């Protein structure tokens, strides 16, 4: 190796060693604080030339101040660089893994329901705010109290008037509305098992849909009419809506300002309560016509006021989500089965759908299937 080559190789080696701080005997100037070094040297010299007596408290204060200002180091020379300071010194702790929620796959209770009508267009179950389930079995309405698991009979309708075609609890959980096959509607006090009122002359055929909005009971029939009834007054009809050929279901929004109706004509309509007494032939806010079969399943979202979910029958098998402010369809999900009913969770962002022989729990808005609950042999109600 000639002198020039050796010299170049020597320079490269020294440069690399300097960059990597490999030599532990040569101080690294870039890693030293010269101002701090000068301060330490001059302060020590002053203390040696002019010693000043210091109390224990003053000495402790001086040591604590030096520690806070990082002035308690004894070394002046530094032989390697300090590790780099983290970019985000106050970075949040790493997120804890979310606890996976347990979803039971078996039923907590099993109730016998002999004589329940196998009819897609009826609404024969309703769970009230007082934790009591109402069940219509033929001409009889039963009440099952979930708190003590007791069952009682509320009423048995005469054969000429029955069977019972719909049930719906009032918001307080005490009064129950019952729709009948003979077009009448009864309102019962469940605490005293007393008939409070019978609404006659409202419809011309069976009443399969009921929905409460405070003291207003909205009824829907196979005659296509939707009627608002104020049960507190004698002339109880206070508003009407027309637009369906045959009603399948009714649901008031959480605010009570909008009414959703679903029909055998494959339509979902959204109505404004303030327009119930209008004489306009088209009083609905939106006519939603994207389902390909009869629509019975309706559910208003409890955490988003303008979000409505609807489910179609056997030739549709889909769940659709609607913005009721604009009438736009936000999403469509195929379920592979007739959608009988829909129910939003009040604690999680989840939606439960019932089908011919199973329940499906969905995560919203991703619509991932969280669980499928089986056990029924035929139609499901929620």
């Amino acid at each position: 190796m000639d002198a020039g080559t050796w010299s170049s190789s020597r320079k490269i080696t020294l440069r690399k060693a300097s960059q990597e701080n490999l030599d532990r005997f040569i101080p690294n100037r870039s890693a030293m604080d010269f101002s701090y070094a000068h301060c330490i040297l001059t302060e020590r010299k002053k203390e040696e030339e002019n010693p000043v007596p210091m109390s224990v408290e003053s000495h402790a204060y001086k040591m604590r101040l030096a520690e806070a200002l990082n002035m308690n180091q004894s070394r002046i020379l530094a032989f390697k660089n300090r590790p780099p300071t983290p970019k985000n010194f106050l970075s949040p702790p790493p997120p804890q893994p979310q606890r996976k929620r347990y979803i039971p796959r078996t039923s907590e209770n099993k109730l016998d329901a002999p004589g329940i009508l196998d009819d897609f267009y009826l609404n024969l179950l309703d769970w009230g705010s007082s934790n009591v389930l109402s069940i219509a079995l033929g001409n009889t309405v039963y009440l099952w109290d979930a708190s003590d698991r007791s069952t009682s009979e509320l009423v048995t309708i005469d054969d000429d008037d029955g069977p019972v075609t719909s049930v719906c609890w009032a918001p307080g959980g005490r009064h129950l509305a019952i729709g009948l096959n003979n077009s009448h509607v009864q309102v019962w006090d469940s605490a005293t098992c007393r008939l409070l009122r019978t609404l006659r002359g409202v419809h011309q055929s069976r009443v399969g849909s009921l929905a409460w909005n405070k003291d207003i009971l909205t009824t829907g029939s196979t005659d296509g009419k939707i009627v608002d009834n104020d049960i507190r007054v004698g002339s109880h009809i206070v508003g009407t809506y027309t637009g369906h050929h045959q009603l399948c279901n009714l649901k008031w929004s959480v605010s009570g300002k909008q009414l959703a109706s679903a029909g055998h004509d494959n339509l979902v309509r959204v109505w404004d309560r303030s327009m119930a007494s209008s004489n306009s032939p088209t009083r609905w806010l939106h006519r939603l016509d994207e389902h390909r079969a009869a629509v019975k399943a309706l559910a208003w979202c409890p955490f988003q006021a303008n979000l409505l979910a609807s489910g179609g029958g056997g030739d549709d098998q889909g769940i659709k989500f609607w913005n009721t402010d604009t009438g736009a369809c936000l999403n469509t999900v195929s379920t592979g089965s007739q959608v009988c009913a829909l129910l939003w969770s009040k604690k999680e962002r989840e939606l439960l759908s019932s089908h011919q022989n199973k329940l499906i729990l969905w995560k919203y808005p991703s619509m991932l299937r969280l669980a499928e609950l089986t056990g029924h042999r035929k139609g499901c109600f929620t």
Side-chain angles (χ1 to χ4, degrees), residues 41-52:
L41 292 174
T42 55
E43 286 295 323
R44 285 180 180 175
K45 187 175 181 181
K46 290 179 181 178
E47 290 178 359
E48 291 175 356
E49 293 177 352
N50 301 306
V52 178

Side-chain angles (χ1 to χ4, degrees), residues 234-342:
S235 301
H236 51 83
I237 298 178
V238 294
T240 59
Y241 314 79
T242 55
H244 288 282
H245 299 306
Q246 179 178 336
L247 262 294
C248 296
N249 205 356
L250 297 168
K251 293 290 182 181
W252 280 101
S253 64
V254 178
S255 65
K257 296 180 180 180
Q258 291 184 342
L259 174 69
S261 62
H264 191 271
D265 48 13
N266 306 356
L267 296 177
V268 175
R269 296 184 189 269
V270 179
W271 313 79
D272 190 319
R273 181 185 176 185
S274 63
M275 301 173 69
S277 301
S278 170
N279 295 321
S280 172
T282 55
R283 298 189 309 277
W284 55 80
L285 291 176
H286 305 292
R287 179 182 182 272
L288 311 177
D289 58 0
E290 296 189 25
H291 282 288
R292 300 188 304 271
V295 184
K296 176 176 178 284
L298 289 174
W300 288 92
C301 180
F303 53 82
Q304 186 173 333
N306 63 342
L307 179 60
L308 174 69
S310 62
D315 292 334
D316 184 88
Q317 303 182 0
I319 301 174
K320 294 183 181 294
F321 298 91
W322 309 91
N323 181 331
T324 60
D325 289 340
T326 63
C329 183
L330 305 176
N331 191 15
T332 300
V333 178
S334 177
T335 67
S337 178
Q338 179 186 53
V339 184
C340 300
L342 295 169

Side-chain angles (χ1 to χ4, degrees), residues 31-332:
M32 292 188 295
D33 187 343
F34 288 94
S35 298
Y36 172 71
H38 180 268
C39 178
I40 288 181
L41 292 174
T42 55
E43 286 295 323
R44 285 180 180 175
K45 187 175 181 181
K46 290 179 181 178
E47 290 178 359
E48 291 175 356
E49 293 177 352
N50 301 306
V52 178
M54 187 177 299
S55 64
V56 177
E57 293 80 7
S58 299
H59 180 72
Y61 172 76
K62 183 177 180 180
M63 295 299 294
R64 190 169 293 183
L65 180 62
E67 181 179 356
L69 298 176
N70 199 24
M71 298 287 289
N72 59 348
Q73 303 178 37
S74 59
R75 288 191 177 188
I76 297 176
L77 301 179
F79 295 90
K80 59 182 179 179
N81 288 325
R82 296 175 181 175
T85 304
K87 293 182 179 180
N88 188 3
F89 182 74
L90 298 176
S91 59
Q96 298 295 325
Q98 290 187 347
R99 182 177 59 87
K100 190 173 182 180
R101 185 164 58 89
Y102 172 69
I103 302 175
R105 295 302 197 275
T106 56
S107 60
E108 182 177 337
N109 290 288
K110 184 177 180 179
L111 306 177
D112 293 328
I116 192 167
L117 298 178
D118 187 11
D119 191 328
F120 176 74
Y121 303 105
L122 302 184
N123 294 277
L124 305 176
L125 291 176
D126 194 34
W127 206 307
S129 59
S130 58
N131 207 19
V132 176
L133 176 68
S134 59
I135 312 168
L137 303 179
N139 289 2
T140 305
V141 177
Y142 293 93
L143 304 179
W144 182 74
D145 193 331
S147 59
D148 58 10
R149 302 185 180 183
S150 62
T151 303
S152 61
E153 179 182 327
L154 178 65
V155 60
T156 296
I157 304 298
D158 295 337
D159 291 337
D160 294 338
D161 300 330
V164 177
T165 53
S166 56
V167 292
C168 186
W169 285 102
R174 175 166 177 166
H175 298 150
L176 180 70
I178 299 174
L180 303 178
N181 191 62
N182 70 345
S183 77
H184 294 172
V185 178
Q186 296 182 352
V187 180
W188 285 78
D189 186 330
S190 64
T192 61
C193 294
R194 185 168 62 93
L195 176 63
L196 300 178
R197 187 161 190 181
T198 300
L199 306 180
R200 298 180 176 88
V202 180
H203 297 285
Q204 284 73 50
S205 56
R206 74 180 189 184
V207 180
S209 306
L210 300 168
W212 288 91
N213 188 358
K214 297 182 180 178
D215 293 312
I216 303 297
L217 174 61
T218 305
T219 59
S221 170
T222 53
D223 61 12
K225 289 175 57 180
I226 304 172
V227 180
D228 282 343
N229 301 273
D230 189 338
I231 63 169
R232 299 167 298 179
V233 297
S235 301
H236 51 83
I237 298 178
V238 294
T240 59
Y241 314 79
T242 55
H244 288 282
H245 299 306
Q246 179 178 336
L247 262 294
C248 296
N249 205 356
L250 297 168
K251 293 290 182 181
W252 280 101
S253 64
V254 178
S255 65
K257 296 180 180 180
Q258 291 184 342
L259 174 69
S261 62
H264 191 271
D265 48 13
N266 306 356
L267 296 177
V268 175
R269 296 184 189 269
V270 179
W271 313 79
D272 190 319
R273 181 185 176 185
S274 63
M275 301 173 69
S277 301
S278 170
N279 295 321
S280 172
T282 55
R283 298 189 309 277
W284 55 80
L285 291 176
H286 305 292
R287 179 182 182 272
L288 311 177
D289 58 0
E290 296 189 25
H291 282 288
R292 300 188 304 271
V295 184
K296 176 176 178 284
L298 289 174
W300 288 92
C301 180
F303 53 82
Q304 186 173 333
N306 63 342
L307 179 60
L308 174 69
S310 62
D315 292 334
D316 184 88
Q317 303 182 0
I319 301 174
K320 294 183 181 294
F321 298 91
W322 309 91
N323 181 331
T324 60
D325 289 340
T326 63
C329 183
L330 305 176
N331 191 15
T332 300

